[in-house]
Amino acid sequence: MSGIRFENVSKRFGGVTAVDDLSLEIGSGEFVSILGPSGCGKTTLLRMLAGLERPTGGTISIGDRVVNELAPAQRNIAMVFQTYALYPHMTVAGNIEYPLRKRRVAKDERVRRVREAAAVLELEALLDRKPRELSGGQQQRVALGRALVRDPAVFLLDEPLSNLDAKLRTHMRAELIRLHRRIGRTMVYVTHDQLEAMTMSQRIAVLRDGRLQQFAPPRDIYARPGNDFVAGFIGTPSMNFLDGRLKGTGSGRTFRSGDLSLPLGMLPLTDEMPEPDRRVRLGIRPEHIHFDRQGEPARVNLVEPTGHETILVFDYRGNELVARMDGDIAIEAGDTVKLAFRAEKMRLFAAADGRRLNDDSTA
Amino acid sequence: MSTPARIARRFLFNVLAWAVVLVIAFPLLWMLLTSVKPSSELFVIPPRLLPGEITFEHYRRLLTETPFLTYLRNSAWLAAGTTLVVISIATLGAHSLVRFSYPGRERLARLVLFTYLLPSVVLIIPLYLLMAGLGLANTLTSLIIAYTTFALPYALWLLRSFMKAIPDDLESAALVDGANRMQAFVDVILPQALPGIISTAMFTAILAWNEYFYALVLVNNDAARPLTTGVINMLVTSFNIEWSLLMAASVMMSLPLIVVFAFLQRYLTRGFSAGAIKG
C-alpha cells in the first residue's frame, strides 16, 4: 500500500537548512499532521514529498518506491494548497476535471467522476462558476474536489483551513476527518494550528528549525512531550516552566529555584543523574495547578474569565505562572493565594538540551 | 461644504485638461485636414483650418502612383515578425527568470535592463556589419533581428513583472495534477499571462511600426523599406516636400495604430502600470 518514508532527508537553500536529517515513517492510510511554528520546514517537507522541491540529501519513499527522482505527476499524490491554487480561467468543473484530463481519462469517465466528486463536496450547483465567484469555503471545497477526483494514494494538505473563518474552519475540520474515514487514504496535513493537529491526526510530527522533535499520537504529545519545546508549543495556555536545579537523590530529590523548594520524590526519572546539582526546567500545565493551604504563596496579577473557565496569571516567587481554574471562581487581581502543583503531572526537562527526564510511566 | 468652490475647481480642471488634449491633438487634426485639402489651399494666407473643398485625390495618388502599398506591407511584416519573435522568446524567458532558480538569475535580469543604457546609435554600425556579413543587408529579416535586439529586453522586463504576479502555487498545482513543465506553462501560466502578453505584444508592434533609425541605416532599397523611411524617402527631397501626400501617408500610417489602440486599450494601460511596478 502507500505508506511514506523519509530517511535522513535534508533540504538546504543556499546556506539555510530548511529540513535537517529528518527521518519519519507514516503508515498506509494514516492521518498525520506536520506541526510547527512558521519557518520550521514543514511546508518544505511537504513540497519535497510532492516533488516540488528536490531534497539535498536522503531518500523519500511512497509505498515501495523511492520517489526522489520522480516528477510530481508520477507520484500518485494530490495536494491541496493553502491558497487553494484554483485555475482562475477554468470553471469549477474544469478545475476538478484537470487532473483527469492530464491523465487521459476518457470523456464520459471524466464527466462521471467530476459529478461524483462534486456530489461528495456539495458543489453540484457551482460547477459552471469561475473560482472568483465563489466564497472562501466553496473555493476550499473545489480544491479538495480536485484532489479527490483522482483517487490518489496520498493526500497532501498544506494549511488548507488557514484562510477560512473560525466557524467554517471547525466545520471543515469535521468534514476532513469524515472524508479520511471514508476514503482511507494516507493524508499528510501541514499546519501551525495545534488545535487542528490535535483534533484530526492519528499521529503528529512536531518540527522545529527543520528537525523532528517528536512523532507520536496527540494524547502522547500532550501528556508525554519529548522535550521542553514540544511541551511549550502544545497546549493553550502553554505549559509553565520554572528554571532551577535538582538537589538530593532518590525519594529525597527536590527542585530548587531561588528560595523555592519542591519535593520531587514521587517523580521517577529516566536516568540516574551523575551530577548532584543538575540544571533542570520544571514544567507544569495550567490545569495542574490548584489552591492548597499548604502551598506556596502567589499573588494574582491578572484574571481572564472566558465563561467556562478562568485563566489566572500569578506572580509565583518572581516567576509568571498561568493557571486554569473554574469559570465561577471568585478572585481578583491583587489577591494573594496559596498554590500547589499536582505532583504526578509535573514534567522535568534537562536545561542543557531540553530532553524530558521523568519517566513515561508517570504520565 | 463650499460647493461653489468645488464647482470652480472642477471647471478649472476641465479647462486645463481640454487645453492639454487640444495641444496634443491639434497636429493630428491638422494632418487629417491637410490631407483632404486641395494642394492649392495649402499655403493660403491667412491659413484656413477647414478645407474649402474636400478631396481624396492625394490618397488616390499615394495608393496608385507610389510604392506606398509596398512600404505598408513591409511595415506590417516587420511589426508582425518582430512581435512574433520577441513574444515567443520573451514569454519563455520571463517565465524562466521568474520561476526557475539558477545561479546568476537576478544578475541576468539586471543585465537585460543594462542593455537599455546603450544608445542604439552605438550598436547600429556593428549591427550593419553583422548583417552584411550574414548576407542579410537590405532585407526585412535584418530589420526584424535588429528590432528584436532592442524590443526583446523591454518585453522581457515587462513580461517578468506580469509573470511575477502569477502565484507560484498555480504552477505547482498543475504539476501535482499531472502536467509536465511545458503543459503547466501552456495550461495555467499562459492564460494567466495573456493580458500581459497582449500588452507587451502591442508595445513591441508599435515599436517596430514606428522605428526609423535602424530602417534608415540597414535598408536602402524600396523592396524592403518600411513606411517610416519609405515615405520620407519618396516624398521629402532636397528640392520639394510633397505636403499633401505626406499628410495622407501619415494619416494612413497612424490608422492601424489607432484601430489597435481602440480595441486593446485596456491591455495597454495594464501594461503601463505593470511596467511601473518595480520588477
Side-chain angles (χ1 to χ4, degrees):
Chain A
M1 280 287 283
S2 296
I4 295 163
R5 203 161 65 242
F6 292 93
E7 282 171 282
N8 308 105
V9 171
S10 296
K11 175 70 186 179
R12 274 179 291 279
F13 295 101
V16 182
T17 303
V19 174
D20 192 4
D21 193 28
L22 182 138
S23 297
L24 191 66
E25 204 164 336
I26 297 169
S28 179
E30 196 175 7
F31 193 120
V32 165
S33 287
I34 316 267
L35 177 66
S38 46
C40 72
K42 53 192 192 299
T43 293
T44 304
L45 191 68
L46 198 70
R47 288 177 63 85
M48 284 196 285
L49 183 54
L52 298 168
E53 303 281 355
R54 181 186 288 262
T56 323
T59 55
I60 302 174
S61 320
I62 299 177
D64 305 325
R65 280 194 308 174
V66 173
V67 295
N68 281 40
E69 299 301 319
L70 293 186
Q74 300 165 304
R75 296 189 180 198
N76 199 18
I77 47 159
M79 184 159 169
V80 177
F81 293 81
Q82 183 174 8
T83 57
Y84 312 141
L86 300 180
Y87 310 127
H89 56 292
M90 299 182 194
T91 60
V92 168
N95 265 282
I96 300 177
E97 190 188 14
Y98 186 75
L100 298 177
R101 270 201 298 148
K102 285 297 119 179
R103 285 180 169 70
R104 301 183 189 287
V105 175
K107 174 89 183 152
D108 301 349
E109 173 78 1
R110 289 207 308 258
V111 172
R112 190 180 64 73
R113 280 166 69 173
V114 168
R115 206 170 290 148
E116 263 178 30
V120 170
L121 296 162
E122 292 165 31
L123 288 168
E124 292 111 318
L126 306 173
L127 282 176
D128 294 325
R129 300 254 192 103
K130 290 279 177 66
R132 66 170 169 278
E133 298 166 321
L134 305 180
S135 70
Q138 290 167 337
Q139 291 187 12
Q140 219 275 326
R141 279 178 3 231
V142 177
L144 268 176
R146 195 170 63 184
L148 208 64
V149 73
R150 235 176 59 215
D151 193 22
V154 176
F155 281 84
L156 310 180
L157 303 119
D158 186 5
E159 310 226 9
L161 306 185
S162 62
N163 289 348
L164 302 179
D165 63 56
K167 197 175 161 201
L168 200 54
R169 199 149 56 212
T170 311
H171 173 73
M172 285 309 292
R173 225 160 56 203
E175 288 288 307
L176 275 174
I177 296 170
R178 251 209 304 281
L179 188 69
H180 175 250
R181 265 195 214 128
R182 186 166 60 208
I183 62 179
R185 291 284 181 264
T186 313
M187 290 193 176
V188 183
Y189 187 99
V190 161
T191 182
H192 67 270
D193 183 336
Q194 48 167 303
L195 189 65
E196 285 176 15
M198 294 294 278
T199 51
M200 299 169 74
S201 339
Q202 288 162 315
R203 280 195 291 173
I204 301 174
V206 183
L207 247 65
R208 178 205 197 184
D209 296 338
R211 288 169 185 268
L212 184 64
Q213 304 294 306
Q214 191 171 7
F215 185 41
R219 189 193 294 254
D220 285 356
I221 293 269
Y222 190 77
R224 301 180 183 82
N227 58 32
D228 59 346
F229 171 76
V230 176
F233 188 68
I234 305 282
T236 322
S238 50
M239 187 181 264
N240 299 290
F241 290 108
L242 299 171
D243 290 307
R245 285 176 193 278
L246 203 58
K247 304 277 188 186
T249 53
S251 57
R253 219 181 255 130
T254 54
F255 171 82
R256 288 266 178 81
S257 175
D259 52 358
L260 171 71
S261 176
L262 294 169
L264 294 176
M266 60 186 304
L267 204 66
L269 300 185
T270 46
D271 52 13
E272 277 311 310
M273 320 282 137
E275 347 64 309
D277 204 22
R278 187 168 191 169
R279 295 175 59 82
V280 292
R281 306 187 79 189
L282 181 79
I284 184 77
R285 292 210 180 271
E287 61 267 34
H288 298 145
I289 298 173
H290 56 269
F291 300 126
D292 188 328
R293 265 175 221 167
Q294 266 92 57
E296 296 286 333
R299 213 175 74 93
V300 180
N301 276 345
L302 194 65
V303 182
E304 293 180 331
T306 65
H308 69 289
E309 63 184 23
T310 303
I311 305 298
L312 297 171
V313 182
F314 294 102
D315 180 348
Y316 182 76
R317 292 180 176 255
N319 297 292
E320 189 182 271
L321 207 60
V322 179
R324 169 181 284 155
M325 304 278 181
D326 279 347
D328 52 3
I329 196 166
I331 200 164
E332 275 175 48
D335 291 356
T336 298
V337 294
K338 288 197 165 178
L339 296 179
F341 305 154
R342 276 179 65 183
E344 81 282 8
K345 294 292 185 185
M346 290 193 285
R347 299 289 173 260
L348 207 60
F349 303 94
D353 56 4
R355 205 159 35 87
R356 181 160 54 94
L357 297 173
N358 63 300
D359 199 20
D360 263 358
S361 58
T362 60
Chain B
M1 298 300 267
S2 50
T3 318
R6 254 172 52 196
I7 290 175
R9 219 171 52 204
R10 183 179 284 182
F11 177 77
L12 201 72
F13 177 80
N14 268 300
V15 167
L16 263 171
W18 278 107
V20 171
V21 168
L22 201 69
V23 166
I24 292 171
F26 183 75
L28 295 175
L29 192 68
W30 189 252
M31 168 180 89
L32 185 68
L33 293 172
T34 307
S35 72
V36 293
K37 273 179 197 168
S39 302
S40 56
E41 283 186 32
L42 284 187
F43 297 106
V44 290
I45 305 279
R48 276 203 308 241
L49 183 65
L50 294 176
E53 165 193 356
I54 290 180
T55 173
F56 291 100
E57 172 64 15
H58 312 309
Y59 289 91
R60 192 194 58 77
R61 273 185 60 205
L62 201 63
L63 295 176
T64 54
E65 295 171 19
T66 69
F68 182 85
L69 284 176
T70 311
Y71 300 154
L72 184 71
R73 200 190 58 215
N74 288 342
S75 274
W77 273 117
L78 269 179
T82 308
T83 305
L84 193 73
V85 172
V86 165
I87 290 300
S88 323
I89 301 175
T91 308
L92 291 168
H95 182 60
S96 150
L97 283 178
V98 171
R99 283 293 180 271
F100 295 97
S101 57
Y102 41 84
R105 182 181 69 164
E106 279 304 308
R107 194 163 305 157
L108 194 70
R110 269 169 224 293
L111 210 64
V112 167
L113 199 64
F114 179 72
T115 58
Y116 275 119
L117 299 181
L118 287 179
S120 48
V121 192
V122 176
L123 295 174
I124 201 150
I125 303 299
L127 259 177
Y128 176 77
L129 293 175
L130 219 70
M131 294 306 162
L134 287 168
L136 291 173
N138 277 326
T139 60
L140 284 179
T141 314
S142 73
L143 283 183
I144 291 180
I145 294 173
Y147 291 0
T148 302
T149 62
F150 64 78
L152 185 60
Y154 184 65
L156 258 176
W157 202 253
L158 202 58
L159 274 174
R160 195 174 94 114
S161 55
F162 273 111
M163 298 258 189
K164 267 197 170 161
I166 302 173
D168 286 359
D169 277 355
L170 279 186
E171 196 185 8
S172 299
L175 291 175
V176 170
D177 281 346
N180 60 35
R181 280 248 173 224
M182 199 62 201
Q183 287 171 330
F185 179 69
V186 172
D187 292 348
V188 176
I189 302 296
L190 272 189
Q192 292 309 303
L194 197 62
I197 292 174
I198 290 175
S199 76
T200 310
M202 278 179 63
F203 278 118
T204 310
I206 292 168
L207 229 56
W209 186 267
N210 286 337
E211 206 287 327
Y212 179 80
F213 191 54
Y214 280 75
L216 185 70
V217 175
L218 294 181
V219 167
N220 53 22
N221 69 346
D222 266 354
R225 250 189 207 120
L227 277 172
T228 44
T229 54
V231 165
I232 296 288
N233 188 57
M234 129 184 114
L235 300 176
V236 181
T237 66
S238 315
F239 308 105
N240 183 30
I241 297 176
E242 294 263 13
W243 284 111
S244 299
L245 288 184
L246 193 61
M247 289 304 113
S250 302
V251 170
M252 284 200 280
M253 278 175 75
S254 316
L255 219 55
L257 288 191
I258 290 169
V259 170
V260 169
F261 260 91
F263 279 102
L264 299 176
Q265 191 197 18
R266 65 197 177 99
Y267 292 110
L268 204 68
T269 44
R270 281 174 78 165
F272 281 131
S273 54
I277 296 164
K278 191 186 161 290

